[in-house]
Amino acid sequence: MASAAEGDMEAELTRGLQWGFQDLSLNKLATSLGASEQALRLIISIFLASKQRPAGTAPFKAPVLYTSDSGYPLALFYRRYLFYKDSYLIHLFHTFTGLSIAYYNFGTQLYHSLLCIVLQFLILRLMGRTITAVLTTFCVQMGYLLAGYYNTATGTYDIKWTMPHCVLTLKLIGLAIDYYDGGKDQKSLTSEQQIYAIRGVPSLLEVAGFSYFYGAFLVGPQFSMNHYMKLVRGELTDVPGKIPNSTIPALRRLALGLVYLVGYTLLSPHITEDYLLSDDYENGSFWFRCMYMLLWGKFVLYKYVTCWLVTEGVCILTGLGFNGFDEYGTAKWDACANMKVWLFETNPRFTGTIASFNINTNAWVSRYFFKRLKFLGNKVLSQGLSLLFLALWHGLHSGYLVCFQMEFLIVIVERQAASLIRDSPVLSRLASITVLQPVYYLVQQTIHWLFMGYSMTAFCLFTWDKWMKVYKSIYFLGHVFFLSLLFILPYVRKVMVPRKEKLKKME
């Protein structure tokens, strides 16, 4: 019954998603929507081939939301006709659809992705499972991406071939590291590394299918080669031998994404980063400027939330989102989840936002970069280098460096403050007063989103002259506030936290 109902639902979805784009004048439609033709072309690709935009890449300026690639038609086709077919057919389907999307959006510039994929295959085959192959991959792929940024960068966000290439870069670096781990003794690997280590030798077709998978080529999410191969083998289903019962979970994420889309569409003409650069903003009162930055900082992230929720629905529909079963035997569909919406909306800490936002990219950096720096013997240094890598991966604009520098500073100070409150008897008692909890929460959320907006200002305005103008207008409040706390909190700790000997006497 369930399978029949899902089949009928899929048929209805397929009919409902058949758009007559060929009858539209893209230029006229884009003009009427306030977007560029290239932006509209990308949106069409997104709705025909599941992609989502990675955290960190700034959006084009248009009332049309850059929604995440919701490739529901292709996902439905895959479920119905290819789910248990020969693996070479599935790889060909993913490669062909990905190349078609690349050509539609970027024309002959698709050769950039094709060249890097072939180069990566040759590196794996010629250098084998060696650290040399890993280092070569990192230098070649990151070098190619950074060269692309250097040659194409402007003062605004432009939709060009580097947008999907940054996603591809992480995929290919992760592929090389997993392939290297596959040649090690399993006992020498961590439990996490054992899951991702590639024991076999990927063919060129497998690497191409993995790289061009229509549900992630343009803007993510990140997933491993092993997880992709499970999809190809038909293992990612809650009902072995049948297509996954994932239509309803997929539609739930789509519906939630559309709620964010509607909210963003209604508010986007009124809350923009352009206003931060206007004379009206600069001439407003200090508190007005801070409150606008707070509201904008919260709102600007909703376009990413929409993208990831809609794309997650596509991944769930194909089966790629299957993540086993919970303790009650219920299927989990969060393997490709990039958002924890409830945590994002309710947690008053910066670390809560980091844990709930762009989850797969953060997990990639943790797995392939941060944890691999363990030999440095310094967790803070490893974290700083990881954030530097993320900043460069996003682009060469100074705004990215400032944004991730602020994240680094804020997280350190937040941890210091949390440790101080936990260890200080006086502060712990104050923090536990029930009647004051709403006040604490309101203060925390205000600080949280004000300085999230402060960090995102540099991220979205890109260039030094723009973000510097805004920061000057609020007297570099974020830097002053957190740098002051960074130096003051250790002294406060000495006063507020008794020594262990005193604590023992008190007990």
Side-chain angles (χ1 to χ4, degrees):
M1 293 293 292
S3 298
E6 289 219 346
D8 293 339
M9 186 176 299
E10 289 174 15
E12 290 297 323
L13 282 171
T14 304
R15 287 193 291 272
L17 288 168
Q18 289 175 343
W19 290 65
F21 287 119
Q22 66 277 12
D23 297 325
L24 297 175
S25 169
L26 288 181
N27 189 40
K28 290 181 180 179
L29 182 58
T31 301
S32 67
L33 293 173
S36 66
E37 181 177 340
Q38 184 63 22
L40 184 59
R41 191 177 293 273
L42 179 62
I43 292 173
I44 293 173
S45 302
I46 279 169
F47 275 94
L48 289 180
S50 130
K51 321 269 170 286
Q52 126 203 3
R53 120 185 237 131
T57 51
F60 58 81
K61 296 179 181 178
V64 181
L65 178 63
Y66 181 19
T67 58
S68 60
D69 322 16
S70 50
Y72 289 87
L74 292 178
L76 290 170
F77 180 88
Y78 172 76
R79 282 169 60 92
R80 179 159 294 202
Y81 300 109
L82 292 174
F83 196 83
Y84 282 111
K85 298 299 181 182
D86 292 336
S87 60
Y88 78 92
L89 290 176
I90 297 174
H91 294 311
L92 284 172
F93 174 69
H94 293 156
T95 302
F96 175 76
T97 52
L99 281 169
S100 300
I101 293 164
Y103 182 76
Y104 180 71
N105 284 278
F106 311 111
T108 57
Q109 289 188 328
L110 67 82
Y111 79 84
H112 292 290
S113 60
L114 194 59
L115 174 61
C116 285
I117 290 169
V118 173
L119 281 174
Q120 188 57 48
F121 173 74
L122 292 175
I123 290 172
L124 297 182
R125 283 300 179 93
L126 297 177
M127 296 186 178
R129 304 177 188 272
T130 62
I131 192 64
T132 303
V134 173
L135 294 176
T136 301
T137 294
F138 187 87
C139 293
V140 168
Q141 300 298 348
M142 276 300 292
Y144 199 100
L145 177 65
L146 294 178
Y149 285 148
Y150 180 80
N151 288 309
T152 62
T154 64
T156 59
Y157 182 78
D158 301 310
I159 297 171
K160 45 192 175 289
W161 65 268
T162 54
M163 184 198 69
H165 205 84
C166 68
V167 179
L168 179 63
T169 297
L170 295 191
K171 272 190 175 183
L172 296 180
I173 293 174
L175 173 64
I177 296 174
D178 290 337
Y179 187 66
Y180 169 68
D181 286 344
K184 293 181 178 179
D185 182 1
Q186 191 165 359
K187 294 180 181 179
S188 67
L189 302 176
T190 66
S191 57
E192 181 182 53
Q193 291 170 351
Q194 291 176 18
I195 294 172
Y196 297 102
I198 299 172
R199 298 297 176 182
V201 181
S203 68
L204 179 58
L205 186 57
E206 289 172 343
V207 174
F210 166 67
S211 301
Y212 281 118
F213 173 66
Y214 62 88
F217 170 67
L218 281 180
V219 282
Q222 293 293 328
F223 52 87
S224 68
M225 170 65 91
N226 282 352
H227 195 67
Y228 169 75
M229 292 303 294
K230 287 181 180 179
L231 176 70
V232 173
R233 294 192 297 266
E235 297 176 9
L236 296 182
T237 176
D238 57 330
V239 187
K242 298 181 181 179
I243 61 175
N245 293 316
S246 58
T247 303
I248 298 301
L251 291 179
R252 286 174 182 161
R253 300 308 274 180
L254 171 62
L256 185 57
L258 293 178
V259 170
Y260 276 93
L261 170 61
V262 171
Y264 182 84
T265 303
L266 292 176
L267 294 175
S268 59
H270 310 291
I271 306 177
T272 68
E273 57 259 34
D274 288 338
Y275 186 74
L276 293 170
L277 299 170
S278 69
D279 292 335
D280 282 347
Y281 178 80
E282 191 170 8
N283 293 331
S285 68
F286 173 76
W287 295 111
F288 168 79
R289 295 195 294 271
C290 289
M291 287 306 299
Y292 184 87
M293 182 174 286
L294 183 152
L295 293 173
W296 173 81
K298 175 75 170 179
F299 170 75
V300 74
L301 297 178
Y302 280 177
K303 54 176 163 269
Y304 305 109
V305 177
T306 299
C307 292
W308 291 323
L309 289 173
V310 176
T311 301
E312 183 187 348
V314 176
C315 292
I316 291 172
L317 196 58
T318 63
L320 194 69
F322 181 65
N323 197 23
F325 300 89
D326 62 20
E327 63 270 24
Y328 303 106
T330 303
K332 297 188 296 182
W333 300 100
D334 59 355
C336 293
N338 248 351
M339 281 299 304
K340 295 179 180 178
V341 176
W342 181 254
L343 181 64
F344 173 79
E345 293 291 356
T346 61
N347 195 288
R349 295 187 178 186
F350 291 92
T351 48
T353 298
I354 294 170
S356 65
F357 189 82
N358 199 16
I359 297 169
N360 279 293
T361 299
N362 291 335
W364 189 99
V365 174
S366 174
R367 183 165 60 246
Y368 295 113
F369 202 92
F370 175 76
K371 293 179 181 178
R372 305 279 171 164
L373 296 177
K374 189 176 181 179
F375 67 91
L376 295 175
N378 189 314
K379 189 174 182 180
V380 174
L381 178 59
S382 297
Q383 182 184 2
L385 290 174
S386 299
L387 291 174
L388 176 61
F389 169 77
L390 268 177
L392 292 174
W393 174 70
H394 281 94
L396 298 176
H397 290 298
S398 60
Y400 295 135
L401 292 171
V402 173
C403 176
F404 286 100
Q405 166 265 315
M406 280 302 303
E407 177 183 332
F408 184 56
L409 175 61
I410 290 171
V411 168
I412 290 176
V413 171
E414 186 175 75
R415 287 172 178 168
Q416 285 184 348
S419 175
L420 173 62
I421 293 171
R422 183 185 64 248
D423 296 340
S424 169
V426 175
L427 295 179
S428 294
R429 284 194 294 270
L430 285 174
S432 62
I433 298 175
T434 304
V435 71
L436 294 179
Q437 294 301 313
V439 177
Y440 296 151
Y441 183 79
L442 180 61
V443 172
Q444 279 186 288
Q445 284 286 32
T446 301
I447 294 173
H448 174 199
W449 287 111
L450 171 60
F451 294 111
M452 184 65 72
Y454 184 89
S455 302
M456 289 299 296
T457 296
F459 185 93
C460 292
L461 295 182
F462 299 119
T463 58
W464 181 88
D465 56 320
K466 292 179 181 178
W467 58 259
M468 181 63 76
K469 177 182 179 181
V470 180
Y471 280 3
K472 283 182 178 178
S473 72
I474 58 171
Y475 313 111
F476 294 90
L477 180 62
H479 286 86
V480 172
F481 182 76
F482 284 101
L483 284 173
S484 298
L485 286 177
L486 181 67
F487 291 104
I488 292 172
L489 286 178
Y491 295 100
V492 176
R493 184 178 182 86
K494 289 182 178 180
V495 176
M496 301 298 294
V497 179
R499 293 181 179 179
K500 292 182 179 180
E501 292 80 3
K502 291 183 179 180
L503 282 176
K504 289 179 181 179
K505 291 180 181 179
M506 291 172 61
E507 291 174 355

